[in-house]
Amino acid sequence: MAAPSSNPLFTVPIPACDSHPGGSVTITEPHPQVYLLSMYSPPDNRLTTAVCQSLLRALDLVEFSGLAPGVVVTASALPKFYSNGLDLDHAAREGDAYWAGSLWALYRRLLSYPMPTVAWVGGHAFAGGLMLAMHHDYRVMNPSRGFACLNELEFGAPLKPAMSAIFRVKVPDPRVYRAMVLEARRFGGVEAAAAGIVDVAGGWDEVLGLVAERALTGRGKTGVYGLLKMEMYRECLDLLENHAREEEKDRGWFRAEDERKARGRREVEEWVSKNGKAKL
C-alpha cells in the first residue's frame, strides 16, 4: 500500500496548535508529474488552523514553484488515519477566522485547483476528514483498513451547508447520502467504492492506475481545468464563499426550532392537563 520513497521537493512545517504537537506536509514526486502531499500531524491529522494552512501552502508550492503541471495526491503518513476531521474545541475558539480563513479556504482551493487532485485514503476518514477527501476530484481508499464515515449524528453536531453540499453533488445515490448522514454508516474501502463515495479501492498502484487510465497528468495543461471545476461545483463554492450568509440562515433555523419545541411542549402539557392521560 505504501508509496515508493522519494526525495522531498519541499517540507512544509505544521506548527504546534493547542494540544496538537505539530508535524509537516512533505511534497515528493514518486512518479513523473505526480506530486504526493503527505500529511503528518499526530495523532490523527485533525484539521486545525495549522494543518489547513500548511496544506494550502503545499498546494501553492506545487502550482507556483516551477514544477511541471501534473496531478496532486494527498495522503497521510499516519497509517491509521487519513484525517479524523475537525477539532471542534479549536474551531469554536477560533470562530469565523477558522471557518472562512482556513477550513473553507482549503476546501475551496481543492475544489477549484487547476490540476487534478486525488485523495489517497489509507486509513480512517471521519467527518471533516471525509469532507476533505470529497473536495478532491478523485478518491482511492484502502480496501483493508479504515472507514469513511460522517459521524456528526453520533457526537451531536449539525452539518453546515458547505459540508453537506459536497455530498449532495458527489455521492451518486441519494440512499447512500441518507445512510451517511442519518445513520452515520461506516464504509470500508470496498463498500465505499461500490457506493460511489470513492472511485477505487486500493493502494499506490491503484492511484497510479487511475492517473494513467484517465490520463490525468496532462489534464491541467490548457489552463482551464480549475475554471471548469468552478462551474461544475458552483453550488458548493457559493456556500463556501458566503459563509456569513449561511451562518445567519442557520441561526434563524435554530431559533425557529427552539421555538417550535417550546411551543410543542407547552401545548402538549396544556392538552394533557385538560384531557388527562389514557388509562392502561
Side-chain angles (χ1 to χ4, degrees):
M1 290 291 174
S5 59
S6 179
N7 292 329
L9 300 173
F10 302 98
T11 299
V12 182
I14 298 174
C17 183
D18 296 340
S19 62
H20 304 275
S24 63
V25 178
T26 302
I27 306 172
T28 58
E29 188 180 0
H31 188 81
Q33 294 174 260
V34 177
Y35 304 107
L36 180 63
L37 278 55
S38 297
M39 297 180 282
Y40 179 76
S41 181
D44 52 6
N45 288 337
R46 294 276 179 163
L47 297 178
T48 61
T49 297
V51 168
C52 292
Q53 291 297 329
S54 295
L55 283 169
L56 284 164
R57 175 62 65 212
L59 291 167
D60 284 349
L61 285 166
V62 173
E63 182 178 3
F64 298 122
S65 67
L67 298 173
V71 178
V72 168
V73 180
T74 68
S76 173
L78 301 168
K80 186 175 180 180
F81 289 95
Y82 176 73
S83 171
N84 203 17
L86 281 60
D87 178 331
L88 293 178
D89 291 337
H90 172 78
R93 278 193 300 273
E94 296 296 315
D96 282 352
Y98 170 74
W99 295 106
S102 291
L103 187 68
W104 295 159
L106 176 59
Y107 288 173
R108 188 196 185 285
R109 183 75 163 112
L110 286 166
L111 208 56
S112 59
Y113 200 68
M115 305 176 204
T117 57
V118 181
W120 178 20
V121 182
H124 297 308
F126 281 95
L130 179 55
M131 295 166 202
L132 177 67
M134 295 302 295
H135 282 83
H136 292 64
D137 301 325
Y138 303 93
R139 285 155 295 286
V140 176
M141 186 172 176
N142 191 331
S144 58
R145 180 177 58 211
F147 291 107
C149 178
L150 288 180
N151 58 335
E152 281 77 4
L153 178 69
E154 296 177 339
F155 58 84
L159 287 170
K160 292 180 179 290
M163 294 174 165
S164 196
I166 195 67
F167 294 95
R168 285 197 299 273
V169 170
K170 290 198 174 184
V171 175
D173 188 339
R175 295 170 298 179
V176 173
Y177 178 45
R178 179 183 63 196
M180 296 176 78
V181 175
L182 298 183
E183 301 168 21
R185 182 170 168 181
R186 298 185 176 199
F187 293 81
V190 173
E191 189 180 14
I197 301 167
V198 304
D199 296 277
V200 180
W204 180 246
D205 288 343
E206 284 71 27
V207 171
L208 291 183
L210 182 146
V211 169
E213 178 185 345
R214 298 173 184 259
L216 295 184
T217 55
R219 297 301 183 190
K221 65 183 179 181
T222 63
V224 75
Y225 192 86
L227 295 173
L228 290 170
K229 292 200 296 185
M230 291 170 73
E231 175 54 36
M232 285 178 67
Y233 305 125
R234 180 179 288 266
E235 173 198 353
C236 297
L237 290 169
D238 177 65
L239 293 172
L240 289 167
E241 292 169 358
N242 290 285
H243 166 75
R245 179 195 70 197
E246 297 303 317
E247 286 289 295
E248 181 57 35
K249 186 183 295 183
D250 278 355
R251 283 191 288 269
W253 283 6
F254 297 155
R255 286 193 299 269
E257 182 67 0
D258 288 341
E259 292 168 2
R260 182 193 66 79
K261 289 178 179 179
R263 183 173 61 252
R265 284 191 292 267
R266 184 175 63 252
E267 291 176 354
V268 166
E269 288 173 1
E270 291 173 355
W271 191 95
V272 170
S273 176
K274 180 179 178 180
N275 296 281
K277 293 183 178 179
K279 294 181 180 180
L280 299 177

